[in-house]
Amino acid sequence: MSIIEERLQEYVDVLSQLEMLERYTWLMDFGKRSQGIEEEERLPEFEVPGCQSATWLIPMVNDNKVYFKADSVALISKGMVSLLADIFSDTTREQIKSFDNESLEKLELRTLLTPGRRNGTYNMLLRIKSMGEPN
């Protein structure tokens, strides 16, 4: 199991112990506790297209590892983008590229998020996966 899959499984384990409404609240609380980004970092090139609320995902590469900073104006989106940033940060481009997108279904987003928010989450994942591509 890759480090990405291990981190994903940790969140799946946490969320699976909660009722659906508790999962939604947990995700918003996760967003509240997440660091976010500075106003000057909210640049168009970091905005994730297709999200219902303005959402930013900033990739950084250091010593062949990719790290992400994330933020959104909506708590549920901030929780989701911060969760993905945490799962994928401190990994290599190769690890990101080899991640099977279908594994994200383990979070059971279909039952947790509206179709619009699921689409936004998919776009967040696409932005992260693009870091696995060579420059």
Side-chain angles (χ1 to χ4, degrees):
M1 182 179 286
S2 75
I3 187 70
I4 294 171
E5 291 167 335
E6 287 175 17
R7 290 182 191 154
L8 174 63
Q9 190 59 51
E10 289 174 17
Y11 287 116
V12 167
D13 292 345
V14 167
L15 291 170
S16 69
Q17 297 176 28
L18 304 173
E19 297 294 326
M20 199 53 58
L21 185 55
E22 293 172 319
R23 291 178 190 187
Y24 195 77
T25 302
W26 183 92
L27 197 55
M28 288 191 300
D29 287 342
F30 190 84
K32 284 180 191 175
R33 292 187 311 270
S34 298
Q35 184 171 347
I37 62 174
E38 299 297 324
E39 191 64 37
E40 60 270 10
E41 295 176 298
R42 294 180 177 203
L43 301 173
E45 60 262 31
F46 299 131
E47 194 164 351
V48 180
C51 290
Q52 287 183 326
S53 303
T55 301
W56 298 269
L57 187 61
I58 304 172
M60 300 161 290
V61 179
N62 187 13
D63 290 332
N64 294 320
K65 296 280 184 110
V66 182
Y67 300 86
F68 295 95
K69 290 171 65 174
D71 206 351
S72 181
V73 296
L75 279 179
I76 192 72
S77 295
K78 183 175 180 178
M80 197 65 235
V81 74
S82 297
L83 180 74
L84 292 175
D86 188 56
I87 290 170
F88 287 94
S89 282
D90 194 21
T91 61
T92 65
R93 290 178 187 261
E94 293 77 23
Q95 290 168 321
I96 291 170
K97 184 179 178 182
S98 67
F99 176 76
D100 178 10
N101 293 6
E102 296 300 315
S103 295
L104 205 60
E105 292 298 319
K106 295 176 187 176
L107 289 172
E108 298 182 3
L109 299 176
R110 214 174 298 120
T111 57
L112 184 60
L113 302 175
T114 64
R117 296 240 187 258
R118 284 194 308 268
N119 183 54
T121 300
Y122 177 73
N123 288 329
M124 293 170 199
L125 181 59
L126 288 179
R127 178 66 59 96
I128 290 169
K129 291 285 287 200
S130 72
M131 289 303 300
E133 300 300 320
N135 289 337

